[in-house]
Amino acid sequence: DLVTGVQTCALPIWQIKILGMGGEFMTTILAVDDSASMRSAVEYALVEKGGYDLSQAEDGEHALALINQHRTSVGKAFDLILADINMPVMDGYEMVEEIRKMPDYRFTPILFLTTENSAEAKQKGRELNATGWINKPFSPEKLLGIVEQVLS
């Protein structure tokens, strides 16, 4: 069961953010997309409807910085990463390639959330060991259902 509340106590702010009511760590998800409206849609589905702890980045370079910050402050990897492909600075493919080099992210589920739908794009995702593919546009229920399935 997901716990949507947080306990208040004398813990550092990062622990308060991700600890559930029973003291267990909540599932943490990183979503990476250069579109603010898409990040809002993901936040609605996963935070408002799903109760997940969500961090967001607007490109791959920012995502890598958040991954390192998360590892330092929380002491564990994100449980799931959602990534667009076409982004400025560092695209989703390059980002996934870099993430898969990190020992604590070798088996972390990574889902591409993208408008790209060609066989070549999907093959490149498989070659980078992406876990799956979600096409945009998506409904909040569809995204939440896939995320729950991947995390179970």
Side-chain angles (χ1 to χ4, degrees):
D1 291 346
L2 294 174
V3 179
T4 57
V6 293
Q7 62 190 31
T8 55
C9 57
L11 291 173
I13 191 70
W14 64 266
Q15 286 184 329
I16 292 172
K17 182 178 179 187
I18 64 169
L19 280 177
M21 293 289 279
E24 73 282 1
F25 279 98
M26 292 178 65
T27 300
T28 58
I29 299 172
L30 174 62
V32 189
D33 200 302
D34 59 317
S35 165
S37 62
M38 190 56 56
R39 290 193 307 270
S40 292
V42 169
E43 181 175 7
Y44 174 75
L46 299 182
V47 177
E48 302 296 323
K49 290 200 165 275
Y52 290 103
D53 180 61
L54 180 69
S55 295
Q56 298 191 67
E58 65 270 357
D59 60 57
E61 190 174 274
H62 183 212
L64 294 177
L66 284 178
I67 285 170
N68 288 323
Q69 178 184 355
H70 187 76
R71 182 186 301 123
T72 301
S73 65
V74 179
K76 73 177 197 86
F78 284 102
D79 298 298
L80 171 69
I81 298 172
L82 300 171
D84 188 16
I85 292 174
N86 298 311
M87 298 180 288
V89 186
M90 179 186 286
D91 70 24
Y93 292 132
E94 186 179 351
M95 179 195 73
V96 170
E97 185 174 12
E98 292 302 311
I99 290 170
R100 287 297 189 215
K101 292 176 185 175
M102 301 174 185
D104 49 344
Y105 282 93
R106 287 190 1 232
F107 302 109
T108 300
I110 300 175
L111 300 174
F112 279 116
L113 182 60
T114 183
T115 57
E116 294 291 330
N117 201 24
S118 70
E120 296 82 17
K122 290 180 180 181
Q123 179 58 34
K124 188 167 183 177
R126 280 190 287 277
E127 290 168 4
L128 293 169
N129 294 316
T131 308
W133 204 273
I134 302 170
N135 289 321
K136 295 177 187 174
F138 59 88
S139 70
E141 295 77 20
K142 178 182 176 184
L143 177 61
L144 190 56
I146 292 170
V147 165
E148 289 172 350
Q149 181 181 3
V150 168
L151 290 173
S152 65

